[in-house]
Amino acid sequence: RHRGECGRQAAAAVANAVGLLLGRALGVWGAMLTKNRVAKLTAVRRMDIFIEDVPEPTDEEMLIQVAAAGICGSDLHYFRHGGLGSFKQPLPMRMGHEPAGIVVDPNGHTEFAVGDRVAIEPGRPCLTSPWSLRGRHNLCKEGSFMGAQGQPGCFSDFVCVTPFQCCKLPETISFEGAALLEPIAVALHAVSLVEAKFTDVVAIYGGGTIGLCCYLILRRHGIQMIYIVDRVKDRRDFAHSFGATDAFPFEDAVARLRERTGGKGCSLVLDTAGDDASFEACLQCAAVGARIGLLAIPEADHLAYNPHQARTKEVRIINVHRSTLLLREAVGLFSDVSASEKLERLVTHRMPLADVGAAFDMASGYMKGVIKIMLQPGFPAPRKIQRIGLIGLGVHSLPSFLDRLLADCSVEVVCAAVVQGE
């Protein structure tokens, strides 16, 4: 399904890879290939584009050209308030942690080649901390996370990541679908933590990307009764069309959920909205002995709730923080065509990186039925390539990738050796 996309972007990748690598080797740089546009938060509700050099990968990294990058709800908190409650990030701040792209410089890592399409795990744990050794990499304080605490984000043309963070994509998953695998990984982690069972009756507060990704994973667990609550009518309508059992407005959701469950309430409730009102509503609609998963990142330091609601029903409140390196599992779950097409329905808007400010305004204001906006840094416009000329046939000419290009696209390659034996 994505064969045309793969071919076009593979051709662009070889152009960029040859340009980057030969440019570095010869000291000749082309403006298009050697500059990196980076979107940064410079003030509350202001995103600006900075022009920087293409980042140089360290020995443990590869260079990736970003093809798609999703705007997350947590990005919107920083956009609206400059941080989370009293935690403020120094500005300008590099943002974005939902990327997918294409390898343009494997940097000697033989498990990847130029032109490989990859999904990217934004977390880079140290792998040796006590939490990492227990398999809870998301709690490791020694590692880093893309677009957080001063780390480079993915709202840019290029990023450097380790091979450990990358997973090759099948042709059935587009770059946009691959970028959505980060919130899918969060949903996988959340559903595991709350111990979802096929007999559960579920209410999800918040019909955005995380809420709908949770819906997809819960369906895969065989759960039939899944209700979605949202304040925005467009999102309720989308949830209906997406397959939710029903979608309720916030104001009367508790009463309607109790009515639908015969007064018992829901055995599993997920809060992806993250304010006082949504958390209190989750407690009210929860059944006796229910589990409540708090996935949302609140914009305030504290959430107020009635502890007696939780205490007298012995409700378990389970906090969820990112995910535990579940990218490869997510790729496997959505590798078939029907699953990937369903996932990609979450992408309601696509905008170029140059329009990042308008994209954030739209997402922050819940305009035009937005669910997920994908920023597309973009590749050079497709051109009909018939012949590629190379001087020399060393490592920088990428012979293995050119073999693939010759076979797939019937491109003629003309080489001039400059060193005896090449």
Side-chain angles (χ1 to χ4, degrees):
R1 186 163 59 92
H2 302 292
R3 195 169 189 83
E5 174 189 60
C6 297
R8 288 193 302 273
Q9 293 177 330
V14 75
N16 276 356
V18 171
L20 282 166
L21 294 174
L22 288 178
R24 288 171 179 168
L26 303 175
V28 179
W29 294 81
M32 179 186 72
L33 299 175
T34 62
K35 295 299 177 183
N36 185 32
R37 295 173 303 160
V38 182
K40 300 180 186 180
L41 179 71
T42 55
V44 171
R45 294 188 176 273
R46 181 180 176 91
M47 298 291 295
D48 288 305
I49 298 287
F50 292 75
I51 307 300
E52 301 177 354
D53 288 335
V54 174
E56 291 272 359
T58 64
D59 289 344
E60 65 180 13
E61 294 177 328
M62 306 187 299
L63 183 66
I64 309 294
Q65 186 167 8
V66 180
I71 297 177
C72 175
S74 62
D75 296 323
L76 298 178
H77 297 329
Y78 287 96
F79 178 71
R80 288 191 284 249
H81 304 290
L84 304 172
S86 60
F87 174 76
K88 304 297 183 184
Q89 191 78 0
L91 301 179
M93 175 187 175
R94 295 173 287 186
M95 299 177 70
H97 57 267
E98 297 180 5
I102 190 163
V103 176
V104 293
D105 183 0
N107 197 28
H109 296 282
T110 56
E111 62 269 44
F112 288 91
V114 172
D116 282 343
R117 302 165 61 251
V118 292
I120 299 171
E121 161 62 52
R124 190 190 296 194
C126 71
L127 301 180
T128 58
S129 71
W131 285 116
S132 290
L133 293 174
R134 295 181 202 176
R136 302 184 71 180
H137 311 82
N138 56 322
L139 302 181
C140 172
K141 300 302 182 185
E142 305 302 321
S144 62
F145 191 84
M146 188 175 283
Q149 296 180 320
Q151 295 299 313
C154 67
F155 296 152
S156 59
D157 290 310
F158 297 94
V159 294
C160 292
V161 295
T162 65
F164 181 80
Q165 294 174 265
C166 296
C167 181
K168 294 179 185 179
L169 292 172
E171 288 190 2
T172 50
I173 300 180
S174 71
F175 285 118
E176 293 178 351
L180 283 166
L181 295 178
E182 194 279 334
I184 282 290
V186 173
L188 282 167
H189 180 52
V191 169
S192 174
L193 281 180
V194 300
E195 299 176 356
K197 302 174 178 63
F198 75 93
T199 54
D200 276 323
V201 176
V202 183
I204 300 174
Y205 271 76
T209 301
I210 287 291
L212 293 168
C213 284
C214 287
Y215 164 83
L216 288 174
I217 301 303
L218 291 166
R219 279 287 193 222
R220 284 181 169 268
H221 276 62
I223 298 174
Q224 298 300 310
M225 306 298 287
I226 306 175
Y227 301 95
I228 291 180
V229 180
D230 202 282
R231 295 180 174 94
V232 180
K233 184 179 183 302
D234 286 341
R235 292 194 164 188
R236 297 197 300 272
D237 292 343
F238 186 92
H240 270 297
S241 70
F242 208 58
T245 305
D246 210 339
F248 303 132
F250 191 91
E251 295 73 20
D252 61 352
V254 172
R256 295 178 71 173
L257 286 167
R258 288 196 170 278
E259 178 186 347
R260 290 294 188 93
T261 58
K264 295 178 181 178
C266 299
S267 59
L268 176 59
V269 187
L270 303 179
D271 185 1
T272 70
D275 55 35
D276 288 342
S278 67
F279 193 47
E280 182 66 23
C282 288
L283 287 168
Q284 291 177 15
C285 73
V288 172
R291 293 95 68 211
I292 297 178
L294 181 58
L295 287 78
I297 302 176
E299 292 184 342
D301 285 336
H302 303 283
L303 289 180
Y305 73 99
N306 182 346
H308 305 296
Q309 288 272 358
R311 180 180 61 84
T312 58
K313 294 191 286 189
E314 285 197 348
V315 168
R316 291 167 54 201
I317 299 171
I318 302 158
N319 287 281
V320 180
H321 179 57
R322 297 175 180 163
S323 69
T324 51
L325 301 180
L326 294 169
L327 180 65
R328 285 160 182 77
E329 181 177 340
V331 170
L333 285 174
F334 289 89
S335 290
D336 65 270
V337 173
S338 60
S340 63
E341 287 179 346
K342 178 85 170 181
L343 178 63
E344 289 171 36
R345 283 186 57 195
L346 298 179
V347 181
T348 52
H349 297 78
R350 299 160 179 84
M351 301 179 75
L353 183 63
D355 293 341
V356 62
F360 266 81
D361 284 334
M362 179 187 295
S364 180
Y366 306 106
M367 303 173 189
K368 300 181 180 180
V370 65
I371 301 293
K372 174 63 72 177
I373 296 178
M374 279 293 164
L375 293 174
Q376 299 176 318
F379 288 80
R383 299 178 182 177
K384 185 176 177 60
I385 299 174
Q386 295 179 323
R387 178 179 297 173
I388 296 175
L390 296 175
I391 299 176
L393 196 59
V395 64
H396 297 303
S397 60
L398 311 169
S400 62
F401 182 78
L402 288 174
D403 286 342
R404 289 167 50 189
L405 195 65
L406 287 166
D408 293 345
C409 304
S410 301
V411 174
E412 180 183 359
V413 177
V414 179
C415 299
V418 295
V419 177
Q420 187 175 3
E422 288 188 340

